[in-house]
């Protein structure tokens, strides 16, 4: 598997507009992209940080994973995302090495990218997202 870069670090927030105002006021970061991802029941905004981004994700109505995360843990670090050159190949390598996968196959994520998640139990509690642009 070839990891090409750190794409983003994601933070779960309850109120996206309030979080965006805080990040802009405190760190001067303004969103470069914002979208609703109905398949994941979230609204996401991306803030540029060098060659990577911070992603702020807030739940939309329904019982999605981010809503459950916020209920259980509160706002904070949600996942780390790395870009790979071949997501299906990367999933195969992870599976073969015994990594537990949340997604057996890639699916559509924000910004039209193909994504998949590896289970946090395989990475010392860290939720890892794979992304192929």
């Amino acid at each position: 598997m070839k990891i090409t870069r750190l794409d983003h670090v994601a933070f779960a927030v309850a109120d996206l507009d309030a979080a965006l105002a805080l990040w802009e006021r405190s760190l001067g970061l303004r969103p470069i992209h914002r979208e609703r991802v109905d398949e994941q029941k979230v609204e996401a905004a991306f803030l540029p940080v060098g060659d990577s981004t911070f992603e702020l994700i807030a739940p939309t109505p329904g019982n999605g994973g981010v809503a459950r995360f916020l209920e259980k843990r509160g706002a904070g670090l949600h996942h780390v995302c790395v870009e790979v050159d071949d997501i299906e190949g990367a999933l195969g390598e992870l599976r073969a090495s015994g990594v537990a996968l949340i997604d057996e196959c890639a699916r559509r994520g924000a910004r039209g990218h193909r994504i998949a998640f590896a289970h946090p139990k395989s990475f010392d509690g860290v939720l890892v997202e794979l992304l192929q642009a």
Side-chain angles (χ1 to χ4, degrees):
M1 166 178 26
K2 181 178 179 190
I3 295 175
T4 57
R5 70 185 188 98
L6 174 67
D7 185 76
H8 66 267
V9 176
F11 300 92
V13 300
D15 181 328
L16 188 57
D17 290 323
L20 286 170
L22 172 67
W23 285 70
E24 182 175 355
R25 184 176 62 251
S26 301
L27 299 174
L29 298 176
R30 303 185 84 184
I32 54 171
H33 181 78
R34 184 173 176 166
E35 78 176 277
R36 187 177 170 121
V37 185
D38 291 326
E39 297 88 354
Q40 296 177 32
K41 297 182 179 151
V42 298
E43 185 172 10
F46 292 86
L47 310 168
V49 181
D51 292 335
S52 297
T53 59
F54 288 142
E55 178 187 27
L56 304 181
I57 50 176
T60 57
N63 191 22
V66 173
R68 290 189 303 273
F69 179 92
L70 288 167
E71 286 174 14
K72 186 175 180 180
R73 295 183 180 90
L77 178 64
H78 185 263
H79 67 268
V80 175
C81 177
V82 294
E83 185 174 330
V84 296
D85 60 349
D86 173 15
I87 195 165
E88 296 300 339
L91 288 170
E93 287 182 43
L94 290 173
R95 190 178 306 107
S97 70
V99 170
L101 300 174
I102 293 173
D103 298 302
E104 292 293 326
C105 300
R107 56 187 163 107
R108 183 198 171 279
R111 301 174 291 170
H113 297 312
R114 298 178 67 218
I115 64 162
F117 286 91
H119 200 284
K121 70 182 179 185
S122 292
F123 291 100
D124 294 324
V126 177
L127 180 61
V128 175
E129 179 182 12
L130 304 176
L131 172 148
Q132 182 178 338

